[in-house]
Amino acid sequence: MVHSLLLVAALLADCIAAAPTSHVIHEARDPASVSSRWVQKGRVAPDALLPVRVGLTQSNLDRGEEMLLDVSDPDSPNYGKHWTSEQVTDFFKPSDESTAAVKSWLESSGFSDLSLSDNKAWIAFNAPASKVESLLHAEFYEFEDSVTKGKAPSTHAYSVPKEVQPHIDFITPGLKLLPPTKVKANTFGAARRAPSPPQYSNYGLSTCDEAVNPDCLAALYKIPKQTLTPNPANQLGLYESIFQRWDPTDLDLFFTNYTHGNIPNGTEPVNKAVDGGESETPHHFVSITNGGEIELDLDVAYPIVYPQKIYIYDEDDLHYQRVDIANLTTTFGFNDLLDALDGSYCTYSAYGETGNDPNLDPKYPDPEKHGGFNGTLECGVFKPPYVFSSSYGGQEVDVPIAYQARQCNEFMKLGLQGTSIFFASGDSGVADLPASEGGDSPTGCTGSNSNYTVFNPAWPNSCPYLTNVGATEVAPGATVGGSDAQPEVAVFFPAANPENIYSSGGGFSNIYPRPSYQQSAVEEYLTKHTPPYKSYSDLAKIVPNPAKVNVNELQGKTGGRYNSAGRGYPDVSCNGANATIVIHGEALLESGTSQATPIFASIINRIVEERLAAGKSSLGFLNPAFYKNASIFNDVVKGHNAGCGTNGFETATGWDPVSGLGTPDYPKMLAYFMSLPSGGWNSTSY
Ligand SMILES: *[C@@H]1O[C@H](CO)[C@@H](O)[C@H](O)[C@H]1NC(C)=O
Ligand SMILES: *[C@@H]1O[C@H](CO)[C@@H](O)[C@H](O)[C@H]1NC(C)=O
Ligand SMILES: *[C@@H]1O[C@H](CO)[C@@H](O)[C@H](O)[C@H]1NC(C)=O
Ligand SMILES: *[C@@H]1O[C@H](CO)[C@@H](O)[C@H](O)[C@H]1NC(C)=O
Ligand SMILES: *[C@@H]1O[C@H](CO)[C@@H](O)[C@H](O)[C@H]1NC(C)=O
Ligand SMILES: *[C@@H]1O[C@H](CO)[C@@H](O)[C@H](O)[C@H]1NC(C)=O
Ligand SMILES: *[C@@H]1O[C@H](CO)[C@@H](O)[C@H](O)[C@H]1NC(C)=O
Ligand SMILES: *[C@@H]1O[C@H](CO)[C@@H](O)[C@H](O)[C@H]1NC(C)=O
């Protein structure tokens, strides 16, 4: 039980004295640790009906990474043998033994009408407070949230019989008291935009250092024209959020002017509405910012994946992202998306969290959904695409640890099922946006006890089961294609405001340790190219909500700026500077890791297409294969990722926390993945 670290000695002594020897304390807290926001009122009335949920211990939570590597490490005999969603649910659900033990305890204590959730994660029943108190040897008090005036029953400690304790994760109502919290969010790239001067060529390679057209991308990464007939199982998946609208006329103008007539007018993405989210607005385009992310994604992806289709998974929910730069008290999350892709996630328990978080995720019916949504939360309505790209995120330090850990665990489960997931690594180098742009501190750095000098890793990027994409640019004056072409460099745009530069997001997690697949690459960087800053190496513990990473505590007194023990990111990179796109009838140049990510994802979509055509499996989680063959990348060795008033990290030969392993070399990458085993379903049931 993770909760054991909350145990308080004095309290422990008290409760043990009161409890028969067969009961043991399951969760307890120091009453003084309750946020002052909550005011403790009187005892809950004995006859008040409490809705009780007993979360059962999930199986194999600690074996997920091992299983993921089993299907994604090229040296594993099970490479590519991805699991079905049923196999994943079965592997992680509580054991029948746990269900039986808890049921028998409750029934023998006189509780009936027990209901078991679909994925067997928890047992629910309603009972009067007095009966619950004697079941759990607890005293329930009413607590009032002084801000919202909401009331919730809670106890400072509860106990369960010794023999059932191993089968119980946590019980509610219990210790949980969660005031609503807010998380910031960014789209990476939408704000960096300039008109495309008419002298740039729509075609050819003569101005790639100033304006990147589809020919430049094809030449940079040696991507040939697609000749395969699209496999109906292999659409490219793009995640989008609130107010992102693509316009059919804009797409047609782009196809007409930049694709050599290869993509016909009328080619359109398919909207996969997440809980009613929309993405198309042909006739009521509100402002030019509205298409900044989605049209960038479509304009860079289509020339690579066409004639394959693009699916847009559109969240379109104000609850998840307010376009309110001035206030920026935005919540943000991917839970509804993950629920829609995997029905079992809707009620999945991990790290003390079951299902969506009532304080971070939308409630249904959901009036905050653009246009309102009167349905219930959608669970498992879409089959996960084989390749998925997202250019949204925030900072690790802003999101409750348990919330992000449960979500990270779900990315692992999608990898197990054969999905490759890409996230943009962020546009602020080693920092967040500065306070003037909505960040937490003047420089976008974190760590208040060192006056905000600690680098600020991004979320969900630090999750070890994602592939993070950083950004590169064609150096000014450099040529593309041909034998004298110069390699790309790490992106760097200075800005009028010295804090608000654009550089490739990168760094090291404060939560997740360095995963085995990048062990030697990261170690080589840290020893051969040791950054000129002090570091620290304590990681945050995964404790129940609402605890967040306390950087001051991790950093201690070392004055360190980064966590040398954490998962390093990005993993790879791609061009993220001055892509030519069409918005609102105009040609514009837009930049960001938001540009780099759909390009990389499109290239993987093409490789999956080739594997499927050869009767092989999709690629799933890519990092173990990537880190085992750096030769399929163009190493990026020039540039750094400034932020926090520093130069950030420097690029280097091999992996670095600016450009990862480098940019793709399509022919080499294709040869490598075609040489790996066919895979196919692993029908073993665990
Ligand atoms: C590329 O974009 C950056 C940032 O918007 C800008 O400073 C730079 O001038 C652009 N390059 C060209 C050639 O327009
Ligand atoms: C495609 O659509 C664009 C934008 O409406 C238009 O300018 C162009 O003429 C169309 N091309 C064809 C072949 O219809
Ligand atoms: C910021 O929040 C306040 C209070 O919720 C609201 O009145 C104001 O309109 C918001 N500002 C912007 C720019 O949306
Ligand atoms: C949702 O239900 C409310 C109340 O019945 C209604 O006013 C609203 O129009 C509905 N919204 C949608 C999108 O159907
Ligand atoms: C922290 O930095 C600010 C300016 O960035 C400065 O004014 C202040 O004195 C510093 N505080 C400490 C304790 O160093
Ligand atoms: C498309 O090309 C035409 C003809 O060269 C030009 O007039 C028009 O401005 C271009 N539009 C865009 C959005 O690039
Ligand atoms: C890396 O990929 C190339 C194909 O691009 C292949 O020739 C080589 O054997 C691979 N190396 C390893 C270590 O798998
Ligand atoms: C499936 O994976 C398990 C665990 O690695 C392995 O023991 C089993 O042999 C595999 N089954 C097949 C058919 O490859």
Side-chain angles (χ1 to χ4, degrees), residues 249 252-253 256 265:
T249 311
D252 287 350
L253 277 172
T256 303
N265 276 5

Side-chain angles (χ1 to χ4, degrees), residues 484-660:
D484 61 342
Q486 293 93 337
E488 286 186 271
V489 301
V491 80
F492 180 69
F493 290 0
N497 171 358
E499 313 284 4
N500 187 18
I501 49 164
Y502 164 35
S503 60
S504 180
F508 299 89
S509 176
N510 283 310
I511 299 175
Y512 308 101
R514 188 186 305 157
S516 57
Y517 61 73
Q518 65 167 204
Q519 192 63 32
S520 66
V522 174
E523 197 160 300
E524 180 170 324
Y525 179 81
L526 292 178
T527 53
K528 288 200 186 149
H529 311 280
T530 312
Y533 317 109
K534 285 182 187 159
S535 65
Y536 52 91
S537 58
D538 277 351
L539 291 162
K541 298 199 169 44
I542 301 181
V543 291
N545 264 347
K548 294 183 182 174
V549 172
N550 183 338
V551 173
N552 292 332
E553 204 172 279
L554 299 180
Q555 183 206 31
K557 294 191 172 58
T558 69
R561 283 183 178 270
Y562 72 97
N563 199 323
S564 59
R567 183 267 205 263
Y569 76 98
D571 301 294
V572 297
S573 51
C574 218
N575 186 277
N578 297 326
T580 310
I581 65 167
V582 175
I583 296 187
H584 216 190
E586 280 179 80
L588 300 176
L589 297 180
E590 197 166 300
S591 303
T593 48
S594 276
Q595 169 188 337
T597 308
I599 298 171
F600 204 107
S602 297
I603 287 172
I604 294 301
N605 171 273
R606 288 281 300 270
I607 294 177
V608 170
E609 199 78 32
E610 297 281 348
R611 274 187 60 98
L612 297 179
K616 296 184 176 220
S617 68
S618 67
L619 291 171
F621 183 49
L622 289 156
N623 295 3
F626 279 167
Y627 282 86
K628 280 204 168 160
N629 196 346
S631 81
I632 62 174
F633 295 94
N634 306 301
D635 199 1
V636 177
V637 296
K638 256 183 127 165
H640 50 78
N641 57 354
C644 294
T646 71
N647 274 350
F649 296 109
E650 295 289 334
T651 52
T653 303
W655 181 87
D656 56 68
V658 185
S659 66

Side-chain angles (χ1 to χ4, degrees), residues 142-431:
E142 214 158 61
F143 285 76
E144 187 179 89
D145 177 4
S146 53
V147 179
T148 62
K149 302 294 168 202
K151 290 199 177 91
S154 184
T155 174
H156 293 305
Y158 65 87
S159 305
V160 299
K162 199 170 176 188
E163 54 293 357
V164 294
Q165 188 187 30
H167 303 293
I168 294 174
D169 186 5
F170 65 101
I171 299 178
T172 61
L175 268 54
K176 278 194 178 195
L177 279 174
L178 300 179
T181 53
K182 296 285 183 186
V183 176
K184 290 183 291 78
N186 302 320
T187 60
F188 298 125
R192 297 169 203 284
R193 185 177 307 131
S196 174
Q199 70 269 25
Y200 296 140
S201 330
N202 293 6
Y203 297 116
L205 308 179
S206 57
T207 52
C208 295
D209 62 328
E210 298 180 296
V212 169
N213 63 40
D215 289 351
C216 300
L217 293 175
L220 276 171
Y221 308 126
K222 306 194 191 92
I223 312 168
K225 191 168 177 296
Q226 176 61 289
T227 53
L228 294 174
T229 306
N231 187 313
N234 187 35
Q235 301 80 14
L236 174 69
L238 297 177
Y239 174 79
E240 301 293 344
S241 190
I242 191 77
F243 290 152
Q244 288 302 321
R245 296 288 185 267
W246 59 272
D247 184 296
T249 311
D250 282 349
L251 283 184
D252 287 350
L253 277 172
F254 180 80
F255 298 148
T256 303
N257 276 18
Y258 298 95
T259 69
H260 300 281
N262 287 338
I263 307 184
N265 276 5
T267 302
E268 295 185 349
V270 178
N271 187 36
K272 296 281 165 184
V274 177
D275 303 306
E278 289 171 30
S279 65
E280 182 190 6
T281 302
H283 305 301
H284 43 109
F285 211 95
V286 192
S287 98
I288 215 158
T289 54
N290 291 5
E293 183 61 54
I294 198 168
E295 296 205 327
L296 171 64
D297 292 351
L298 293 171
D299 289 355
V300 298
Y302 262 127
I304 302 173
V305 303
Y306 184 82
Q308 184 51 272
K309 287 193 164 66
I310 296 179
Y311 281 5
I312 293 174
Y313 296 83
D314 208 290
E315 183 73 57
D316 207 16
D317 198 321
L318 276 167
H319 185 88
Y320 273 146
Q321 191 183 27
R322 272 169 218 286
V323 182
D324 176 3
I325 300 299
N327 287 342
L328 249 154
T329 49
T330 323
T331 62
F332 201 69
F334 303 97
N335 276 358
D336 277 8
L337 169 76
L338 295 171
D339 291 331
L341 295 176
D342 173 6
S344 77
Y345 186 66
C346 282
T347 50
Y348 180 63
S349 293
Y351 312 110
E353 286 270 280
T354 298
N356 278 2
D357 187 306
N359 292 309
L360 286 171
D361 296 304
K363 295 182 181 58
Y364 290 84
D366 179 7
E368 289 177 288
K369 181 69 75 177
H370 187 247
F373 179 65
N374 284 343
T376 53
L377 175 69
E378 293 178 342
C379 299
V381 293
F382 305 124
K383 185 182 175 303
Y386 289 140
V387 182
F388 195 84
S389 172
S390 165
S391 299
Y392 293 78
Q395 305 308 124
E396 199 186 68
V397 74
D398 288 330
V399 186
I401 301 169
Y403 181 88
Q404 37 184 323
R406 175 175 173 275
Q407 202 167 76
C408 177
N409 188 258
E410 180 64 17
F411 290 125
M412 177 269 291
K413 290 200 233 161
L414 290 175
L416 258 181
Q417 292 172 65
T419 294
S420 306
I421 306 170
F422 293 94
F423 268 83
S425 72
D427 292 354
S428 309
V430 293

